[in-house]
């Protein structure tokens, strides 16, 4: 029994939900695909698919088995391609994810340049503030803010982002500029509910971390709305530096309490650990890292 072939068929059927669709994708007869699965099930002494429903679905054992072998098949496929002509030229699809603001302001311009330089590579850019599981959701690369506790991932630091408190010049002229975090008690604030503690702003004071409670006059669901509200003069907002960068550059916002800012957060390109990287991923890392570093230095 060719285990690699059998595992590939099982994975294809699991993804397609149909024996015939998987067979067409693999360019083999459906009878061959069915026989290979039966041989593997006999070898494992376990049923991988529930055949009682119109659409083939994995059993509990099959689901666990597929999740376990999926990264192994990926490694084997990369090893095969590492010595084949496919690796002679970067090609194929690259799936990249990033937070919305960071991706739109910093990553998208780099992706646009990369696509012009590599016409054989397609990119699917997934922007969202939910952290995706790179393995389970088949993501090649992530641009992330913050410290990365997961040792199964490889990280390349490309910059830093710091928290800033900002307001419009008109607001500060009318209400005064806070000199210390404690002065926030006398100011209107804007909170972004995506933060873990939107009503507690963290600072660094006298060499130690400090947290100041605020009573927001406005709570918004996006960082962009927080920046817009601050620029409109509603109050003070606390956001990451790159999120306020356009409004700061335009003079619609200015920062306050800079001397009390906490330590900057690292910004990193993150990918799954592995001895072999697809050449398209290596090409993107080599292309993107220096350009992101130029824009995210800090």
């Amino acid at each position: 029994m060719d285990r690699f072939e059998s595992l590939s068929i099982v994975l294809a059927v699991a993804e397609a939900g149909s024996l015939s669709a998987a067979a067409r994708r693999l360019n083999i007869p459906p009878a061959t695909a069915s026989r290979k699965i039966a041989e593997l099930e006999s070898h494992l002494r376990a049923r991988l698919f529930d055949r009682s429903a119109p659409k083939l679905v994995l059993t509990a054992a099959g689901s666990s088995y597929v999740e376990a072998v999926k990264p192994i098949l990926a490694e084997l496929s990369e090893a095969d391609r590492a010595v084949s002509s496919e690796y002679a030229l970067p090609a194929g699809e690259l799936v990249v994810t990033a937070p919305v603001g960071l991706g739109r302001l910093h990553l998208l311009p780099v992706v646009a340049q990369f696509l012009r330089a590599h016409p054989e590579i397609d990119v699917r850019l997934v922007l969202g503030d939910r952290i995706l599981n790179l393995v389970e959701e088949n993501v090649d690369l992530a641009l992330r803010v913050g410290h990365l506790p997961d040792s199964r991932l490889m990280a390349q630091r490309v910059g830093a982002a710091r928290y800033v408190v900002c307001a419009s010049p008109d607001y500060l002229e009318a209400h005064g500029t806070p000199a210390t975090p404690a002065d926030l008690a006398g100011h209107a604030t804007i909170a972004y509910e995506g933060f873990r503690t939107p009503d507690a702003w963290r600072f660094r004071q006298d060499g130690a971390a400090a947290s100041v409670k605020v009573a927001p006059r406005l709570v918004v669901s996006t960082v962009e709305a927080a920046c817009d509200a601050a620029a409109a003069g509603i109050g003070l907002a606390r956001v990451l530096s790159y999120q306020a960068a356009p409004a700061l550059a335009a003079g619609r916002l200015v920062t306050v309490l800079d001397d009390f800012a906490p330590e900057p957060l690292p910004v990193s390109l993150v990918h799954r650990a592995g001895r072999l990287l697809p050449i398209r991923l290596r090409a993107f890392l080599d292309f993107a890292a220096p350009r992101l570093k130029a824009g995210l230095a800090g």
Side-chain angles (χ1 to χ4, degrees), residues 11-65:
L11 184 58
V13 173
E15 291 175 346
S18 162
L19 191 65
S20 57
R24 285 194 301 271
R25 181 193 301 179
L26 298 172
N27 197 27
I28 61 174
T32 300
S34 179
R35 177 171 54 82
K36 292 289 184 180
I37 293 174
E39 288 175 356
L40 182 59
E41 288 178 325
S42 177
H43 172 76
L44 296 171
R45 298 180 182 177
R47 302 289 283 182
L48 299 177
F49 292 97
D50 181 356
R51 294 170 173 78
S52 62
K55 180 178 178 180
L56 282 180
V57 294
L58 290 166
T59 63
S63 181
S64 298
Y65 189 66

Side-chain angles (χ1 to χ4, degrees), residues 114-135:
F114 179 78
L115 290 172
R116 286 192 290 269
H118 295 273
E120 300 302 319
I121 299 179
D122 299 323
V123 174
R124 182 159 65 91
L125 183 58
V126 183
L127 299 183
D129 293 329
R130 180 177 71 88
I131 295 178
L132 302 183
N133 185 298
L134 303 191
V135 176

Side-chain angles (χ1 to χ4, degrees), residues 195-218:
F195 291 147
R196 291 181 181 177
T197 52
D199 59 346
W201 292 3
R202 295 181 181 178
F203 297 92
R204 191 163 186 83
Q205 195 165 8
D206 299 325
S211 181
V212 175
K213 281 281 189 180
V214 295
R217 289 207 65 205
L218 175 66

Side-chain angles (χ1 to χ4, degrees), residues 17 97 110 160:
T97 183
V110 173

Side-chain angles (χ1 to χ4, degrees), residues 147-161:
H147 299 282
L148 307 167
D150 193 338
S151 61
R152 296 171 299 174
L153 302 176
M154 300 292 293
Q156 180 178 354
R157 182 164 174 162
V158 292

Side-chain angles (χ1 to χ4, degrees), residues 62-249:
S63 181
S64 298
Y65 189 66
V66 165
E67 287 305 310
V69 302
K70 189 182 297 183
I72 299 172
L73 285 174
E75 288 286 338
L76 286 171
S77 296
E78 299 300 350
D80 285 348
R81 288 195 290 267
V83 294
S84 72
S85 59
E86 180 177 336
Y87 262 54
L89 182 71
E93 184 184 66
L94 196 64
V95 182
V96 184
T97 183
V100 175
L102 185 61
R104 183 172 57 85
L105 293 173
H106 289 279
L107 187 57
L108 183 57
V110 173
V111 168
Q113 297 172 41
F114 179 78
L115 290 172
R116 286 192 290 269
H118 295 273
E120 300 302 319
I121 299 179
D122 299 323
V123 174
R124 182 159 65 91
L125 183 58
V126 183
L127 299 183
D129 293 329
R130 180 177 71 88
I131 295 178
L132 302 183
N133 185 298
L134 303 191
V135 176
E136 293 179 0
E137 304 191 56
N138 294 316
V139 175
D140 296 297
L141 186 69
L143 183 62
R144 289 186 175 167
V145 180
H147 299 282
L148 307 167
D150 193 338
S151 61
R152 296 171 299 174
L153 302 176
M154 300 292 293
Q156 180 178 354
R157 182 164 174 162
V158 292
R162 61 189 179 92
Y163 281 107
V164 296
V165 178
C166 52
S168 70
D170 289 345
Y171 174 87
L172 296 176
E173 184 178 351
H175 300 279
T177 300
T180 70
D183 293 340
L184 291 172
H187 283 271
T189 57
I190 303 158
Y192 166 51
E193 63 185 10
F195 291 147
R196 291 181 181 177
T197 52
D199 59 346
W201 292 3
R202 295 181 181 178
F203 297 92
R204 191 163 186 83
Q205 195 165 8
D206 299 325
S211 181
V212 175
K213 281 281 189 180
V214 295
R217 289 207 65 205
L218 175 66
V219 179
V220 295
S221 60
T222 69
V223 171
E224 292 79 11
C227 292
D228 290 344
I234 293 175
L236 295 149
R238 179 177 178 267
V239 298
L240 286 166
S241 51
Y242 68 83
Q243 294 165 336
L248 290 170

